[in-house]
Amino acid sequence: MSNAKLYKGSLVTIILKLLNEHDKMYGYEITQRVKEITKNELKITEGALYPSLHKLEAEGLLDVEVLKVDNRLRKYYKLTEKGTQETVNKLAELENYIKTMRALVNPKFRLE
Amino acid sequence: MSNAKLYKGSLVTIILKLLNEHDKMYGYEITQRVKEITKNELKITEGALYPSLHKLEAEGLLDVEVLKVDNRLRKYYKLTEKGTQETVNKLAELENYIKTMRALVNPKFRLE
DNA sequence: AATATATACATAAAATTCTTATGCATAAGA
DNA sequence: TCTTATGCATAAGAATTTTATGTATATATT
């Protein structure tokens, strides 16, 4: 996604959180939103995004609705109940990851 | 390493930072230190650690010194000049990652 | 004395996630 | 007309990690 390898594993968290805020979004919209929010720091590639969306749908975390807008197809995704729960989990995991890494990298921050 | 996939890509950062503090460490010691600091949250597997150490050595970021202690071999690693520089880079990347993710996940934090 | 656990290294197959490359199609701008 | 933007999709390859396995010595337990 970016030059930093740290983003590996964060894509699902990002997708779920965005859908949690926006109610429904389509793939291309997600890539643009992420570029915008991160000031071009993070560019989600289509090769990563679309397979990920398909997987989340297959797992029952997302529902799809296909709409035709301006003669072009858009696949709108939205969180299912299960997806909303998983969003909470993923966000907690992110916070935990950050805490743990801080403890490793900054010895002043110790975990209890 | 842990159940959370977010740690993917963080191993090198962790290794370099620990070596930056401790001057020289051997592989097994690193696994134990990490378990200790993270209160068992993160357990670095040998299958990930050893190949990673070899790679860092091949790239000229680490130097090795083999010592025999209590009739057992230990391969002590320490940062080279280049390794020390790369540590700075990796730590900056981590801080940047955290900032970017905060912006994505918490809309109140905006990047400039 | 025998067995299990801890210490210490190593590698290889498989899984996971992502990049890069490619393909199709329509709309809008230069 | 040609390029860029919009919108989806997949497949080959790269990179990193998990899981499994192997070797060997030291220490603790039964």
Side-chain angles (χ1 to χ4, degrees):
Chain A
M1 303 198 255
S2 150
N3 57 323
K5 297 164 189 174
L6 296 170
Y7 292 97
K8 278 212 176 220
S10 331
L11 181 56
V12 168
T13 305
I14 294 169
I15 293 172
L16 293 181
K17 176 59 185 174
L18 285 183
L19 286 175
N20 191 251
E21 285 166 13
H22 293 87
D23 214 67
K24 76 175 183 181
M25 296 180 87
Y26 56 101
Y28 186 77
E29 188 183 6
I30 292 176
T31 66
Q32 299 310 302
R33 241 312 162 246
V34 168
K35 267 204 291 186
E36 201 184 308
I37 297 176
T38 70
K39 309 290 179 189
N40 283 326
E41 227 281 306
L42 221 191
K43 290 167 191 169
I44 293 180
T45 61
E46 297 159 301
L49 178 64
Y50 291 116
S52 193
L53 287 172
H54 301 162
K55 196 185 171 202
L56 290 172
E57 186 197 347
E59 290 168 351
L61 303 185
L62 302 184
D63 276 339
V64 191
E65 183 190 4
V66 180
L67 292 187
K68 198 164 204 171
V69 179
D70 291 334
N71 205 31
R72 273 200 238 85
L73 284 184
R74 284 182 186 172
K75 292 182 76 173
Y76 278 94
Y77 292 90
K78 69 168 60 181
L79 292 178
T80 61
E81 185 71 29
K82 198 178 165 190
T84 302
Q85 284 170 27
E86 185 60 14
T87 304
V88 176
N89 291 336
K90 288 295 181 189
L91 291 178
E93 279 181 12
L94 177 61
E95 291 308 322
N96 197 49
Y97 167 83
I98 292 175
K99 260 187 200 155
T100 302
M101 288 303 287
R102 280 223 182 286
L104 280 167
V105 150
N106 190 334
K108 287 178 185 172
F109 292 143
R110 280 185 211 149
L111 301 177
E112 308 124 45
Chain B
M1 303 198 258
S2 149
N3 58 322
K5 297 166 188 173
L6 296 171
Y7 293 98
K8 282 204 175 227
S10 332
L11 181 56
V12 168
T13 305
I14 293 169
I15 293 172
L16 293 181
K17 176 59 184 174
L18 285 182
L19 286 174
N20 191 252
E21 285 166 13
H22 294 89
D23 213 67
K24 75 176 184 182
M25 296 181 86
Y26 56 101
Y28 186 77
E29 188 183 7
I30 292 175
T31 66
Q32 300 308 303
R33 248 297 170 256
V34 169
K35 268 205 291 185
E36 200 185 310
I37 297 175
T38 69
K39 308 291 180 191
N40 283 326
E41 226 281 306
L42 221 190
K43 289 166 191 168
I44 292 181
T45 61
E46 297 159 302
L49 179 64
Y50 291 116
S52 192
L53 287 173
H54 301 161
K55 195 187 171 199
L56 291 172
E57 186 198 348
E59 290 169 351
L61 303 185
L62 302 183
D63 275 339
V64 192
E65 184 190 4
V66 181
L67 292 186
K68 197 164 205 172
V69 180
D70 290 334
N71 205 33
R72 275 201 236 86
L73 284 185
R74 285 181 186 173
K75 292 181 76 172
Y76 278 94
Y77 291 90
K78 70 167 60 179
L79 292 178
T80 61
E81 184 70 28
K82 196 177 165 190
T84 302
Q85 284 170 26
E86 186 59 14
T87 304
V88 176
N89 291 336
K90 287 295 182 190
L91 291 178
E93 278 181 11
L94 178 60
E95 291 308 323
N96 197 49
Y97 167 83
I98 292 175
K99 261 187 200 156
T100 302
M101 288 302 287
R102 280 224 182 286
L104 280 166
V105 149
N106 190 336
K108 288 178 186 171
F109 292 143
R110 281 188 210 147
L111 302 176
E112 308 126 45

